[in-house]
Amino acid sequence: MKAIDVLYKDWKNKSYPVDPYQIAFMNNVEVRLCIFKDSDLWGKFFYENNNPIICINGKITQYQKKAILAAELCRFFNNKDKTKVFEDTYSYLCSEELDVKEINDFSFSLLMPREFIEEILYNKQISDLTEMAKLLAVSKKSLSWRLQRLKII
């Protein structure tokens, strides 16, 4: 499933910022803040008693938690193997592997949909990255990455 499909299904009010916690709730996905022994581990997705669980490293920033939750939601929407456990480290999510690119594209498309970015840029005429990032409730670095992927900057 693509991020845009999730937005049309679960984010009907089409307002920003997108709240991945609400999307998880609407899909009966339990989100837990966890303290992992491995500090490089940022997120984990698995099923427990047939219930989807996402664990997020409690020691990372709010922006990072939101991005990791969106990435783990990608795992939820696109994985049908309920026996598999996904552990995502910071270094893995920064790699150039094909599945990582798909996860990152899903995550950033979910948090920063093209139509929201265009609304901010063209209708509100806001082009300051800091102000745009605040409106979307994402980090400036993530917004910059997304704008590059959309070929806007």
Side-chain angles (χ1 to χ4, degrees):
M1 182 178 279
K2 294 183 177 184
I4 193 74
D5 299 326
V6 173
L7 287 169
Y8 282 124
K9 181 173 92 52
D10 295 329
W11 200 249
K12 299 200 184 332
N13 65 2
K14 294 191 175 192
S15 64
Y16 45 84
V18 173
D19 183 355
Y21 292 94
Q22 183 66 30
I23 291 171
F25 176 78
M26 292 174 70
N27 286 280
N28 298 313
V29 178
E30 182 182 340
V31 178
R32 300 175 182 169
L33 292 181
C34 303
I35 305 300
F36 298 118
K37 290 179 184 176
D38 177 0
S39 62
D40 192 43
L41 185 59
W42 280 26
K44 188 174 181 176
F45 170 71
F46 58 96
Y47 282 85
E48 184 176 272
N49 299 321
N50 220 27
N51 298 311
I53 309 289
I54 293 175
C55 291
I56 302 170
N57 188 327
K59 293 186 176 184
I60 58 179
T61 70
Q62 289 302 322
Y63 291 137
Q64 292 165 333
K65 287 174 186 157
K66 210 172 150 181
I68 291 300
L69 177 53
E72 300 305 336
L73 283 170
C74 177
R75 302 277 200 197
F76 166 71
F77 286 114
N78 294 298
N79 173 57
K80 301 302 175 211
D81 181 357
K82 293 187 176 186
T83 63
K84 194 160 184 175
V85 174
F86 295 95
E87 291 187 343
D88 293 312
T89 62
Y90 173 75
S91 53
Y92 174 72
L93 292 171
C94 292
S95 73
E96 292 296 315
E97 294 185 38
L98 182 59
D99 64 326
V100 173
K101 287 182 180 181
E102 290 171 7
I103 292 167
N104 286 337
D105 281 344
F106 179 97
S107 178
F108 290 121
S109 296
L110 185 71
L111 298 176
M112 298 168 276
R114 176 188 287 275
E115 70 181 76
F116 290 3
I117 289 173
E118 289 174 347
E119 154 86 14
I120 292 167
L121 279 172
Y122 305 123
N123 294 348
K124 294 189 179 277
Q125 297 184 339
I126 296 170
S127 58
D128 178 67
L129 282 181
T130 302
E131 195 171 343
M132 285 179 71
K134 253 187 207 175
L135 286 171
L136 294 167
V138 296
S139 70
K140 214 166 116 175
K141 183 178 178 180
S142 295
L143 176 60
S144 179
W145 185 89
R146 178 72 171 138
L147 292 174
Q148 288 173 7
R149 296 285 291 176
L150 293 172
K151 297 182 177 19
I152 292 175
I153 61 169

